[in-house]
Amino acid sequence: MTALDLSSPVAVVGTGTMGQGIAQVALVAGHPVRLYDAAPGRAREVADAIVARLDRLVEKERLTAADRDAARARLTPAGTLGELADCALVAEAVLERLDVKQELFRALEDVVADDCLLATNTSSLSVTAIGGALRVPGRLVGLHFFNPAPLLPLVEVVSGSATDVTSATRAYETARAWGKTPVACADTPGFIVNRIARPFYAEAFAVHEDQGADPATIDAVLRESGGFRMGAFELTDLIGQDVNESVTHSVWQAFFQDVRFTPSLAQRRLVESGRLGRKSGQGWYDYRDGAERPEPHTAEPAEPPAYVVVEGDLAPAAELVAMIGEAGIEVRREDEDNGTRLVLPSGGQLVLADGQTSVEFRDVVYFDLALDYRRASRIALSAAQSTSPHTLAQATGLFQALGKKVSVIGDVPGMIVARTVARIVDLAIEAVAKGVATEEDVDTAMRLGVNYPLGPLEWSRRLGGDWARAVLDNLHECAPTGRYAPSLALYRHAYAAGKQEGSSS
C-alpha cells in the first residue's frame, strides 16, 4: 500500500491551530486541500492566514514564489461538508470531545466514498471509540501531529481495534511522503508520547510537593544534569497548565485510575486559580512585565576533599573516577562486594541515587543521575538532617572541583533525574511488551515528540538492564502506594538482561 497520489484532494475539518498546521503540511506536500469549519466564513479567513504563512516562507527562502503560487491555487475553502465528496483523505481537528468527533465522522460517511481514508488528530481520545460510531470503522485511523505541525516531524499513526491494516499503512506512507517521521502505534491511552511522558511532569511535581526543591531548581537539574531541553515546570507553563493537566487526567481515567498516572494536586490548584502559564501571565513562574525569574538553588563554594576512596565501579557514573583524577584529587581504590560508592575523608559516603534516602543510612550523601557527567553543568546532592555537615561540604566541593554547579535538595528518594528516568524507562518497556509500538518507534517518538536527549530504550541499555528496576524497587519500598512498583515487563527485561550479561562475561 502506497501513499496517496498528490493529485488526490485532502480535506481538513476544523481550522484551529492544529487544523491549520495539518492543512499547510498537506498543501506544501502538493495536494489539493479543502478547508471546512462549521463557523461561517472561518474557512476563508484561515485560508488567507495559511497563504500569509506561505508568503513568510518565501521571504525566508524556504519556499519558492512559484511553489507558493501553486499551493495557493490548490487551497479551497469549503462551505459545506458536501464539497468534500471527492476527497481521498479527510483529517479532523475539531473539539476534543468524543460525541463531537463521532457526529462529524457519521456525517462525513454520508458524503465521501467508502474508500476515503478518515483520520482523527485526537491526542487523548480512543480511536477505537471514535470509529465505533462508523458504518465502515476500518478506514478510520489516528494521525496525531504535534504542534506546530509544519515544524515538528513526528506523527503517531494510531490503529484502533477495527482499523484495517491497509488504512494504517496508507496513512503511514502518506505521512512519510509529506516529509514527516511516522511511528506506528496501537490504540492505547496517550498513544506513545503522552503515555510515556507522564512521569517527566509527575515526578518533578512530586518532588516539589514533598518540599524537596523549588521549581527553578528542579528545572535546572533536569536541564543541566538530565540533558532535557526544558524542565517540567517551564515546559508545562509553555504548553498550558490546563492542557497538560487535561491530558494527564485523560490518561489516568483511561487506565482506570492507575496510580502510576495520578494527576498532581499542586497542578490542579494552579488550574483552579487561573494560573495557566505563559498564556495567562502566571503559572509556576511569573511572566508579567517586570517579574524576575527565580534562580535555582546553587551551593556556595566549598573545599574539595584531598582524596576519595572508590569502592566498586560506580556504574553508571564510572566516568566520575577519571574526572576526579583529572581534577588533581587523589583517587584510592578498594575492592568491595557490597556496593559502589565514593568514601570521603570525613568517613561519609557519596552514593549514586538508587531510590533510597539518606536518613536510612549513617552519613550518606546521594548524587543524582546525569545524562553525561562530563558535559553536565549541574549536579544535585541530597542529604538527611543527620548527615554530617562536613561530609556534605566535601561532597559539594568535590563536584565543584569538577566544574559543576551544585544544588542541594531535600532527602528525596530517587532525587530528580534518577526517579524520572527510571519511571520513563519502565513505561517504555511496558509499552513495547504490550505491543503498543516497537522499541525503535518508542525511542523515535520520545526523541522527536518531546525532545528527550535519548530514547528510553536506548537510555536503559546505557544504564544497564537492571538499573531502572533496582531504583523503582527501592522507591516502592519507600512509598508502597503502587506508583513506583516496577511493571512485570520491566522485571522480565531486567532478568533477561542479567542472563545476557552473565553469559557474555
Side-chain angles (χ1 to χ4, degrees), residues 6 10 12 18-31 33 50 53-54 74 145-146 148-152 155 174-175 177-180:
L6 289 181
V10 170
V12 177
M18 189 57 74
Q20 293 180 41
I22 296 170
Q24 182 177 328
V25 169
L27 188 65
V28 171
H31 288 273
V33 172
I50 291 174
R53 284 201 289 275
L54 297 182
R74 294 193 303 271
F145 287 77
F146 288 74
L151 297 180
L152 295 186
V155 177
T174 297
W178 290 357
K180 297 301 179 181

Side-chain angles (χ1 to χ4, degrees), residues 320-389:
L320 284 175
V321 178
M323 294 169 60
I324 292 169
E326 292 163 10
I329 298 171
E330 181 186 353
V331 175
R332 304 174 185 176
R333 290 185 179 272
E334 288 188 8
D335 293 329
E336 289 286 338
D337 296 329
N338 61 344
T340 62
R341 61 182 68 84
L342 294 171
V343 181
L344 300 167
S346 67
Q349 301 173 16
L350 189 55
V351 181
L352 176 62
D354 59 5
Q356 300 181 92
T357 58
S358 294
V359 75
E360 300 174 58
F361 305 98
R362 178 182 173 275
D363 211 14
V364 165
V365 173
Y366 277 105
F367 66 95
D368 208 352
L369 180 70
L371 172 68
D372 183 330
Y373 282 98
R374 284 196 177 274
R375 297 178 62 183
S377 59
R378 182 180 299 271
I379 295 293
L381 302 179
S382 70
Q385 289 185 348
S386 59
T387 302
S388 164

